């Protein structure tokens, strides 16, 4: 008779199926500067930061989709709180002094029933332009 085709250890038992795990490991390549007055305060109650408009831009059409509050910034991106429903990898813009700055949503964390903390990266190719945007946001946070 032929040898068995099935070898021991090839199957995963149904009761031991792999489960998806989420990691809280920090994946940022750049340090973030907090715009919060008290970074230890629960983010759900934090009223500090800079409020900006969220805008979808398609060609020359600008469509406001909501507002967000910037909580931290860095060369790589920013952290915002918003009640606007955004999706992972969604490209949108924030409006700073009537200038649209493109971002891509990289991380979404539910804060409560209505608010989401969004981690986004800048979609700006020129680092000097990114630095200019960071300076504008920082100056707004101090005024």
């Amino acid at each position: 008779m032929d040898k068995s085709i099935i070898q021991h250890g090839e199957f995963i038992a149904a009761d031991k199926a792999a489960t998806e795990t989420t990691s809280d490991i920090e994946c940022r390549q750049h340090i973030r500067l907090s715009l919060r007055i008290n970074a230890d305060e629960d983010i759900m109650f934090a009223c500090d930061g800079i409020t900006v408009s969220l805008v979808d831009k398609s060609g020359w059409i600008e469509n406001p989709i909501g507002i967000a509050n910037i909580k931290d910034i860095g060369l790589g991106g920013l952290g915002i709180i918003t009640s606007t429903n955004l999706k992972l990898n969604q490209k949108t813009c924030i409006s700073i002094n009537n200038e649209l700055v493109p971002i891509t949503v990289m991380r979404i964390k539910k804060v409560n029933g209505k608010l989401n903390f969004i981690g986004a990266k800048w979609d700006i190719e020129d680092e000097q332009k990114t630095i200019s945007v960071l300076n504008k946001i920082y100056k707004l946070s101090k005024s």
Side-chain angles (χ1 to χ4, degrees), residues 43-59:
I43 194 124
M44 198 161 71
F45 302 111
C47 297
D48 46 11
I50 304 300
T51 301
V52 294
S53 296
L54 293 170
V55 179
D56 268 344
K57 187 174 179 187
S58 178

Side-chain angles (χ1 to χ4, degrees), residues 23-32 72 107 117 119:
S23 172
D24 286 335
I25 296 173
E26 193 57 55
C27 298
R28 292 186 186 137
Q29 295 177 352
H30 302 282
I31 295 172
R32 292 268 180 104
D72 58 45
R107 184 176 181 193
F117 184 82

Side-chain angles (χ1 to χ4, degrees), residues 77-92:
L78 72 164
I80 59 176
I81 262 197
T82 183
S83 61
T84 304
N85 289 321
L86 300 174
K87 296 178 176 70
L88 283 177
N89 298 314
Q90 180 176 346
K91 294 184 181 296
T92 190

Side-chain angles (χ1 to χ4, degrees), residues 8-143:
H8 183 30
E10 283 188 46
F11 296 100
I12 298 173
D15 63 332
K16 294 183 182 179
T19 58
E20 186 177 323
T21 59
T22 57
S23 172
D24 286 335
I25 296 173
E26 193 57 55
C27 298
R28 292 186 186 137
Q29 295 177 352
H30 302 282
I31 295 172
R32 292 268 180 104
L33 172 68
S34 178
L35 301 180
R36 300 186 56 208
I37 295 167
N38 181 359
D40 294 330
E41 182 182 20
D42 188 339
I43 194 124
M44 198 161 71
F45 302 111
C47 297
D48 46 11
I50 304 300
T51 301
V52 294
S53 296
L54 293 170
V55 179
D56 268 344
K57 187 174 179 187
S58 178
W60 50 271
I61 299 173
E62 297 174 6
N63 182 30
I65 59 173
I67 61 170
N69 193 270
I70 301 174
K71 296 300 182 186
D72 58 45
I73 56 173
L75 278 175
L78 72 164
I80 59 176
I81 262 197
T82 183
S83 61
T84 304
N85 289 321
L86 300 174
K87 296 178 176 70
L88 283 177
N89 298 314
Q90 180 176 346
K91 294 184 181 296
T92 190
C93 296
I94 58 170
S95 178
I96 302 168
N97 291 340
N98 295 319
E99 176 185 356
L100 293 183
V101 180
I103 60 172
T104 299
V105 175
M106 301 303 291
R107 184 176 181 193
I108 301 171
K109 182 178 180 184
K110 201 68 140 158
V111 174
N112 65 22
K114 294 184 179 186
L115 293 176
N116 299 304
F117 184 82
I118 306 291
K121 70 175 184 172
W122 304 114
D123 276 342
I124 305 170
E125 293 180 20
D126 181 22
E127 188 173 284
Q128 284 306 118
K129 173 95 168 132
T130 302
I131 291 169
S132 173
V133 168
L134 292 173
N135 283 322
K136 285 179 187 176
I137 294 170
Y138 184 73
K139 286 177 184 172
L140 285 170
S141 75
K142 297 304 175 194
S143 59

